[in-house]
């Protein structure tokens, strides 16, 4: 049996994971439950963990996973009048994604962080990434993201190394100075070269700028450069 406060905290964590992709902070938990100190929250979380309702994930801030809900609460949630989290149409189950703390994205092969290479459109494999890397304004949509493996050293001064996996959010417009996946070439040319660079608009021209003092900026007519996505995260294997 759970205490009333344990149930309140469990529901709060579940709902916040479903709505925002991350659990509430200890301060937010304390305020929501009307407790005077965070030590009470620590005791409640420890109790829920010992009873197998939640799991604390090591080496991650605010990382809690819902393992199960009490049977009486599951029955209430399935009944008439139960509180339901409203999700956008065609969106994945955000609660399940958030609980897992990771999500699989398609890995579209290698992208040149040097000179452009031929674009790869077919996913050769999948990669698991932390949910936080693709969370934007509390919403999670893995269909708007993909991963690429970096080939080259032109972005090393931005902390992007050869062999890193970069997480890209699909978009066709970005702010000046963003690091982007850029497709270089006109429609007549097939538009089949892609590179990872910092983008800067200069009148009728577009500059693709490396983060390596030994390499030169490439300048193109603006019409020849199309943004395929914006860098939002990086995964490195040691």
């Amino acid at each position: 049996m759970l205490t009333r406060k344990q149930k309140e905290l469990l529901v709060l964590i579940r709902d916040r994971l479903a709505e925002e992709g991350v659990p509430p902070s200890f301060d937010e938990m304390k305020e929501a439950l009307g407790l005077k100190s965070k030590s009470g929250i620590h005791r409640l979380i420890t109790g829920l963990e010992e009873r197998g309702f939640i799991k604390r994930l090591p080496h991650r801030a605010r990382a809690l996973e819902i393992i199960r809900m009490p049977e009486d609460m599951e029955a209430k949630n399935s009944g008439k009048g139960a509180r339901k989290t409203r999700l956008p149409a065609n969106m994945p189950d955000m609660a399940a994604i958030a609980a897992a703390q990771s999500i699989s994205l398609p890995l579209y092969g290698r992208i040149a962080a040097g000179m452009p290479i031929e674009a790869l459109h077919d996913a050769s494999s999948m990669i698991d990434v932390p949910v936080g890397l693709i969370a934007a304004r509390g919403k999670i949509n893995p269909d708007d993201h993909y991963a690429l493996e970096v080939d080259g050293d032109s972005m090393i001064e931005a902390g992007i190394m050869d062999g890193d996996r970069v997480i890209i959010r699909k978009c066709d417009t970005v702010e000046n100075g963003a690091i982007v996946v850029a497709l270089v070439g006109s429609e007549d040319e097939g538009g089949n070269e892609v590179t990872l660079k910092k983008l800067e608009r200069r009148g009728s021209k577009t500059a693709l700028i490396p983060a390596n003092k030994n390499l030169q900026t490439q300048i193109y007519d603006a019409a020849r450069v199309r943004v395929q996505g914006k860098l939002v995260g990086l995964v490195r294997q040691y």
Side-chain angles (χ1 to χ4, degrees), residues 3-175:
T3 67
R4 180 173 59 84
K5 287 295 185 183
Q6 285 174 333
K7 286 185 177 182
E8 289 177 4
L9 181 58
L10 191 59
V11 170
L12 175 65
I13 294 170
R14 180 200 62 189
D15 291 348
R16 187 67 65 85
L17 283 171
E19 293 168 359
E20 299 185 9
V22 294
S25 67
F26 276 33
D27 284 329
E28 291 171 328
M29 294 178 191
K30 178 171 69 72
E31 183 177 349
L33 270 64
L35 299 181
K36 294 182 178 180
S37 70
K38 288 189 284 188
S39 62
I41 296 298
H42 282 283
R43 286 194 295 271
L44 290 173
I45 288 177
T46 298
L48 289 171
E49 188 174 30
E50 290 175 346
R51 288 164 176 78
F53 290 95
I54 66 173
K55 178 181 179 181
R56 280 186 274 207
L57 303 177
H59 311 303
R60 298 184 189 177
R62 293 174 59 180
L64 297 173
E65 178 181 346
I66 298 290
I67 303 299
R68 64 188 179 95
M69 297 296 290
E71 292 182 1
D72 60 331
M73 294 178 70
E74 289 177 350
K76 288 179 182 179
N77 287 339
S78 63
K80 185 176 180 179
R83 183 185 185 278
K84 297 182 179 179
T85 301
R86 298 184 64 183
L87 302 178
N90 302 318
M91 284 285 283
D93 184 342
M94 291 186 182
I97 291 173
Q101 295 293 315
S102 65
I103 189 73
S104 292
L105 298 179
L107 179 62
Y108 285 137
R110 293 176 69 83
I111 181 173
M115 293 300 291
I117 59 174
E118 184 176 355
L120 298 175
H121 297 286
D122 297 323
S124 57
S125 60
M126 303 294 287
I127 179 175
D128 290 333
V129 303
V131 167
L133 287 182
I134 66 170
R137 296 177 184 154
K139 297 181 180 180
I140 303 170
N141 191 351
D143 291 338
D144 288 342
H145 297 78
Y146 59 93
L148 293 164
E149 184 173 335
V150 174
D151 181 14
D153 62 1
S154 78
M155 298 301 290
I156 57 173
E157 292 168 14
I160 303 171
M161 311 296 181
D162 182 62
D164 285 346
R165 274 82 178 274
V166 289
I167 311 306
I168 307 298
R169 179 175 297 133
K170 298 175 185 177
C171 60
D172 53 17
T173 59
V174 295
E175 69 278 11

Side-chain angles (χ1 to χ4, degrees), residues 198-202 205-209 217-220:
K198 178 180 176 181
L199 183 142
E200 186 176 291
R201 299 178 187 85
R202 300 178 180 178
K205 304 291 185 179
T206 295
L208 298 179
I209 307 170
T217 294
Q218 302 294 315
I219 308 293
Y220 299 94

